[in-house]
Amino acid sequence: MLHDLRYAVRLIRRSPGFALVVILSLALGIGANTAIFSLVDAVLIRSLPVKDPGGLVLLQWSARRTEMMGVRATRGSSSLNAGRRTATAFSYAAYEQLRARQDLFSTLVAFASDPRMTLVVDGDASVVDAQYVSGNFFAGLGVRTMAGRPISDEDDHLAAPPVAVISAALWKRRLGGDASAIGKAITLNGKPRTVIGVAPAEFLGVQPGEAPDVWVPLAAAGELGWDPPPRESTFWWLILMGRLAPGVTAAQARAAIDPALADLVNAESKPRTTADLDRLRSIRAEEARAGRGPAAAQDRARLALLPGRQGPDQLRRQFSSALLILMSIVALVLLVACANVASLLLARATARRREIAIRLSIGAGRARLIRQLLTESVVLAGIGGALGAIGAVWGSQALAATIAQGDNRFVLDVTPNLTVLAFTAAMSIATGVLFGLVPAFRTTRMTLTPALREQTWADRSGYRLQGLRLGLGRSLVVVQVALSLLLLVGAGLFIRTLINLQRVDLGINRANVLLFSLAPGTAGYEGPRLIALYDRLLEQIGAQPGVRSASFSRIPVIAHSASRTSLEIEGSEGSALQPHDHIDIWINTVSARFAETMGIPIVAGRDFGPQDTASSPIVVLVNETMARRFFATPNPVGREFNFGGRTNPRWTVVGVVRDAKYASVQEEVPPTMYYLYRQRPRGLGEMVFEVRTAGEALDFVPAARRIVREADVNLPLIDVKTQSAQVDETLFTERMFARLSGLFAGLALTLACVGVYGLLAYAVTRRTTEIGIRVALGAQRGDVVWMILREALALAAIGVAIGLPAALAATRVLKTMLFGLQPHDPATIAFAAVLLVGVASAAGFIPARRAARVEPMQALRCE
């Protein structure tokens, strides 16, 4: 083996150009696969950095929708089966009851995330991601602090001193990594806290994708402004993880807990408001139409104990499909690279036929030669894999940053670990064997006497042994073309989807609009004081030079977030609705001039004005869709309706605005209503300011920071961006697929062209004498060019013919990811085919032109 390795290294040094092409081709293919696999490992495979992650279980429960009616949960539910929903959130009362069952759980921890906590350190305010954790959180998970001590049960009660544990990243970023940070006083949401510990650098929490900066005890949630009160029994907000007691199975734990859990859910499922009652009736009517009756005993709330080795699966459910699609794409790129390298090795093996024949004639066994040739292939693949792994370290970080640029930002640790390195090593060996095996078998299977004779021009021309020498090479080039077509069609569909989305009429003018959020509630503002702050800030911002208009809203436009409610229309004669029908409406709390700032024209009536106060009649603006669908008239100005139940105040329409997108670009414009913040001050909380400027919107950021800092130094600006960037963030998935698929398709196309070029260049070299004779007998240079070029066209055409059905079949899985076109879009497929044939022809033109320049006398003199 050492002899084979030394010989392989000598061959690489003897043919550096050949080795460089092979190594770079494999480095690109293996590096792309390693980079994507690093993300797959971080999202789908990697265990939590805690003690014995395999022993953790994640608690989840399911119930019928009617039973979940009164339960207010912070975590979304997903459909489990007809009429049932699952949830990962538990109430504090449920946590206390379950934790008391020490006969079932050796430890049970609880936590909840708060991504909008205001941190003040030495007078400098910023927004940090925080987590509320139970007192046994660190001890139960087996996580030790790198400095200080963790939160304990003694810290998790209302009378305990206010403490916090910070992350290693925050420790270095805000406190300089100084050991004196232990015991330092900080402020969270306007309340003092003392730093008692620093979490280890590798611990990013137990929620994949999240990286908390601060951990505080559960008991501090109420003090730090969590609304509603965290210990309220109807508020289900905690995620629970734990370890089963020794000897207890998951089935035993479920059987023991289900009755108590059902009682807890049933106690909180009773409707408490008119809206709850109306919603309950609607759900029961829907169930009756579907043939499902009231919840039976077996349909009551049930507990599920899921493997907790990787933590909650929200991030996995969100990105697993996207990562698997990307993994499939880069796998095709690697196949193209392997086919390309195999073509090069076939050409090289043909040139080494005499060498191999001599080895066989003096007694070398075929198995021994195959091992030597495979060793050479594996060495090349190993070098390519090493370079690919180095590039993947940067590539995986770039990909993680690209994926995390959307409106659902997250943090991933993509540092290569043993799993990733093992994957790269296995892929390098597998590809080395894959592209080296066939050439090795082909080369060592020969008749010795013809191989040892001096070759004639007919041998070199490729006619006598054409099937052996070039048949497989042509097949490999055809495979490269077919796979490249598949990737080009997929990339074309993703690119056209992004273009279609970018051309959608949003109904707003997003140019020169700056967005930033404020959360005054974290600094103690509420009620009239909060409204006064917003009024003062809005007035000062609107008075700045270069500001054309300013406003704020509860929900930003086109941000994948929405608020809906039901309303009751009065006097709906002439429409499809009956009086007192309840309709789902998208709503938004806004200030005056919101429509003007966002560039939404008012088509009827008026905007909010100074006459609309907290004591005046309640007024709203509606969009054209709501006016047309629910009022049966394009001008419902003056019409009244009831909002959220007949006991609530009456609402009057004072204006109609043009239809505009609400939550996303892909959705149709929903029926939308805008109401004035002064008239519904409850639950204002965090608001998004919109500032339309005369020039570049980002140039106004320093002035905005100054105005807010002068109002309150504890109010940091959150999510500063332009409206154009906000829209782009909602399209990050489409943009990511368009960019990455285009990049990988271009890489595959380049490798396929290299394969076409290499095959034809080799053929021209072997057929130099033949071409010289043809020219000597009167062949024109154009005839020689066409003779070579038509082979490139034939290979490309065959590859397209094979790849076309594969592309039509494979792209069906992309149907749900496309917008404005179908997977079998003729224009996209035709463009990909023409591009591939054109580029392959260009690759073949270079050796064809070289063939046309062959001098007959020189070619015959060589013979």
Side-chain angles (χ1 to χ4, degrees):
M1 182 60 67
L2 291 176
H3 174 78
D4 289 344
L5 289 173
R6 287 195 298 268
Y7 188 74
V9 172
R10 287 202 302 271
L11 286 179
I12 293 175
R13 295 175 60 184
R14 187 185 306 171
S15 304
F18 169 83
L20 182 62
V21 173
V22 172
I23 290 172
L24 288 180
S25 298
L26 293 176
L28 292 172
I30 295 175
N33 278 267
T34 302
I36 298 296
F37 182 78
S38 297
L39 294 180
V40 172
D41 173 64
V43 175
L44 304 179
I45 301 175
R46 190 171 300 185
S47 299
L48 295 174
V50 300
K51 180 181 179 182
D52 186 23
L56 290 173
V57 293
L58 176 68
L59 277 65
Q60 189 179 78
W61 61 278
S62 65
R64 291 174 67 90
R65 287 192 297 166
T66 51
E67 290 186 292
M68 300 178 73
M69 180 61 57
V71 174
R72 291 178 289 172
T74 59
R75 305 287 166 181
S77 60
S78 59
S79 178
L80 182 62
N81 52 48
R84 295 189 68 86
R85 295 292 184 269
T86 62
T88 56
F90 290 79
S91 67
Y92 191 85
Y95 167 61
E96 287 185 322
Q97 288 194 25
L98 294 175
R99 185 182 179 185
R101 296 298 303 268
Q102 297 183 3
D103 57 322
L104 302 176
F105 297 99
S106 60
T107 184
L108 189 67
V109 303
F111 62 94
S113 300
D114 185 352
R116 283 288 190 270
M117 193 172 287
T118 300
L119 169 70
V120 179
V121 178
D122 297 330
D124 185 15
S126 62
V127 178
V128 296
D129 293 334
Q131 252 185 13
Y132 299 100
V133 298
S134 57
N136 62 340
F137 180 79
F138 288 95
L141 296 176
V143 176
R144 299 178 178 273
T145 53
M146 61 185 297
R149 67 172 181 86
I151 294 172
S152 64
D153 285 325
E154 288 73 22
D155 302 313
D156 191 17
H157 58 85
L158 296 177
V163 298
V165 170
I166 62 175
S167 68
L170 181 67
W171 180 48
K172 295 177 181 178
R173 185 173 70 245
R174 296 296 305 275
L175 301 174
D178 191 351
S180 63
I182 306 301
K184 185 176 181 62
I186 61 175
T187 300
L188 290 175
N189 284 0
K191 305 296 181 182
R193 292 267 141 186
T194 301
V195 176
I196 60 170
V198 179
E202 67 275 9
F203 183 67
L204 301 179
V206 294
Q207 180 79 44
E210 293 184 4
D213 297 301
V214 181
W215 290 268
V216 293
L218 285 179
E223 179 189 6
L224 295 179
W226 192 281
D227 184 44
R231 293 179 183 267
E232 183 178 324
S233 60
T234 60
F235 187 46
W236 292 53
W237 63 299
L238 297 174
I239 295 179
L240 306 186
M241 296 181 67
R243 305 178 191 274
L244 293 173
V248 177
T249 65
Q252 290 172 340
R254 287 196 301 268
I257 292 172
D258 276 351
L261 177 64
D263 291 340
L264 279 170
V265 174
N266 185 59
E268 305 307 331
S269 64
K270 298 180 178 62
R272 290 172 169 78
T273 65
T274 303
D276 287 342
L277 183 59
D278 291 338
R279 187 175 167 212
L280 178 60
R281 289 171 178 169
S282 175
I283 292 176
R284 286 179 175 171
E286 178 184 338
E287 291 179 343
R289 287 192 297 269
R292 299 191 300 268
Q298 63 270 21
D299 290 329
R300 301 289 298 278
R302 295 197 297 264
L303 181 72
L305 296 177
L306 308 178
R309 179 177 63 88
Q310 299 171 282
D313 65 347
Q314 181 179 359
L315 191 69
R316 294 191 293 276
R317 286 188 284 106
Q318 183 179 359
F319 288 99
S320 59
S321 298
L323 289 176
L324 292 178
I325 290 175
L326 290 176
M327 199 71 194
S328 301
I329 291 174
V330 295
L332 292 178
V333 173
L334 182 60
L335 287 178
V336 173
C338 288
N340 190 9
V341 172
S343 298
L344 295 173
L345 287 180
L346 278 174
R348 183 188 184 191
T350 303
R352 295 177 63 186
R353 283 176 54 82
R354 187 174 179 82
E355 171 201 339
I356 300 301
I358 293 175
R359 290 176 180 272
L360 289 172
S361 66
I362 61 177
R366 188 183 179 199
R368 176 69 180 81
L369 289 176
I370 291 175
R371 191 184 75 182
Q372 176 186 312
L373 294 174
L374 284 180
T375 301
E376 297 172 11
S377 302
V378 172
V379 168
L380 290 171
I383 298 174
L387 291 178
I390 295 174
V393 174
W394 171 84
S396 59
Q397 295 175 349
L399 287 174
T402 299
I403 295 177
Q405 284 180 354
D407 47 357
N408 293 322
R409 293 183 176 88
F410 55 87
V411 178
L412 288 178
D413 180 12
V414 292
T415 305
N417 56 14
L418 292 179
T419 303
V420 176
L421 294 178
F423 172 82
T424 305
M427 180 169 291
S428 301
I429 296 173
T431 53
V433 174
L434 177 65
F435 68 71
L437 198 59
V438 174
F441 275 104
R442 285 285 201 180
T443 305
T444 57
R445 190 176 63 190
M446 66 175 68
T447 303
L448 294 180
T449 302
L452 291 171
R453 290 185 315 193
E454 284 293 330
Q455 294 175 318
T456 65
W457 74 268
D459 293 330
R460 291 195 299 271
S461 68
Y463 280 99
R464 179 173 299 178
L465 300 176
Q466 183 174 354
L468 174 63
R469 291 177 184 171
L470 297 179
L472 182 58
R474 287 192 178 96
S475 300
L476 291 172
V477 171
V478 168
V479 169
Q480 294 179 62
V481 173
L483 293 176
S484 298
L485 178 67
L486 179 60
L487 292 173
L488 282 173
V489 171
L493 292 174
F494 285 129
I495 292 173
R496 289 199 61 195
T497 291
L498 179 62
I499 293 174
N500 290 342
L501 288 170
Q502 291 175 334
R503 291 177 176 175
V504 170
D505 182 11
L506 304 178
I508 65 172
N509 180 6
R510 58 179 177 174
N512 298 330
V513 176
L514 177 69
L515 305 180
F516 62 88
S517 301
L518 293 178
T522 61
Y525 288 89
E526 59 183 10
R529 185 165 173 255
L530 176 62
I531 295 177
L533 173 67
Y534 280 137
D535 287 339
R536 185 167 67 254
L537 291 176
L538 191 60
E539 180 181 358
Q540 293 177 0
I541 291 173
Q544 295 298 308
V547 174
R548 292 182 173 178
S549 179
S551 63
F552 58 78
S553 60
R554 181 70 182 85
I555 298 172
V557 177
I558 311 177
H560 281 167
S561 58
S563 178
R564 291 189 299 177
T565 188
S566 61
L567 59 83
E568 183 177 307
I569 302 294
E570 292 287 353
S572 55
E573 295 82 359
S575 72
L577 304 175
Q578 298 299 321
H580 313 304
D581 277 352
H582 291 269
I583 309 300
D584 283 338
I585 300 294
W586 277 250
I587 60 175
N588 200 354
T589 305
V590 301
S591 69
R593 304 185 70 184
F594 170 79
E596 176 187 351
T597 305
M598 297 307 301
I600 306 175
I602 296 179
V603 297
R606 64 173 178 86
D607 195 357
F608 299 122
Q611 69 273 28
D612 303 316
T613 63
S615 58
S616 65
I618 302 176
V619 296
V620 297
L621 300 176
V622 300
N623 69 346
E624 293 173 307
T625 297
M626 181 173 173
R628 182 175 57 254
R629 187 177 302 176
F630 301 141
F631 293 99
T633 175
N635 187 5
V637 174
R639 297 285 292 272
E640 295 184 350
F641 58 90
N642 192 280
F643 178 73
R646 306 187 70 176
T647 60
N648 285 331
R650 307 289 298 172
W651 296 67
T652 304
V653 177
V654 296
V656 179
V657 298
R658 181 190 171 195
D659 280 344
K661 295 287 185 177
Y662 187 96
S664 71
V665 178
Q666 295 91 333
E667 297 176 355
E668 295 294 330
V669 176
T672 310
M673 177 178 65
Y674 307 92
Y675 54 81
L676 190 60
Y677 73 102
R678 292 196 201 97
Q679 296 186 325
R680 282 188 63 85
R682 180 182 176 185
L684 283 182
E686 180 179 323
M687 301 295 280
V688 180
F689 279 75
E690 301 95 9
V691 184
R692 178 170 296 279
T693 60
E696 175 59 40
L698 291 176
D699 292 342
F700 186 71
V701 174
R705 293 189 187 278
R706 174 181 53 79
I707 293 171
V708 174
R709 190 181 299 112
E710 290 174 355
D712 193 325
V713 71
N714 295 324
L715 285 181
L717 269 62
I718 307 171
D719 290 340
V720 180
K721 68 188 78 168
T722 64
Q723 181 63 55
S724 296
Q726 174 65 67
V727 175
D728 291 342
E729 282 187 0
T730 64
L731 302 178
F732 88 101
T733 300
E734 291 80 6
R735 181 171 289 100
M736 174 190 69
F737 273 106
R739 289 177 177 176
L740 294 182
S741 63
L743 173 65
F744 295 137
L747 177 59
L749 180 62
T750 302
L751 291 174
C753 290
V754 171
V756 172
Y757 169 80
L759 177 68
L760 296 182
Y762 171 75
V764 168
T765 302
R766 303 293 296 174
R767 299 172 65 180
T768 300
T769 304
E770 173 205 346
I771 294 171
I773 294 176
R774 288 178 180 273
V775 174
L777 294 177
Q780 300 298 316
R781 294 186 183 275
D783 298 331
V784 175
V785 170
W786 174 244
M787 179 183 68
I788 302 300
L789 194 57
R790 68 185 178 188
E791 184 169 354
L793 291 173
L795 293 174
I798 296 173
V800 168
I802 295 175
L804 188 58
L808 292 175
T811 51
R812 292 178 182 177
V813 301
L814 307 178
K815 185 174 183 179
T816 59
M817 305 178 66
L818 304 180
F819 180 84
L821 71 163
Q822 296 296 320
H824 53 271
D825 181 63
T828 302
I829 295 175
F831 178 79
V834 171
L835 175 64
L836 190 55
V837 172
V839 174
S841 301
F845 179 76
I846 300 176
R849 185 180 179 185
R850 188 173 64 189
R853 293 178 176 178
V854 170
E855 293 294 336
M857 296 305 298
Q858 183 180 357
L860 295 175
R861 190 180 298 116
C862 291
E863 178 63 22

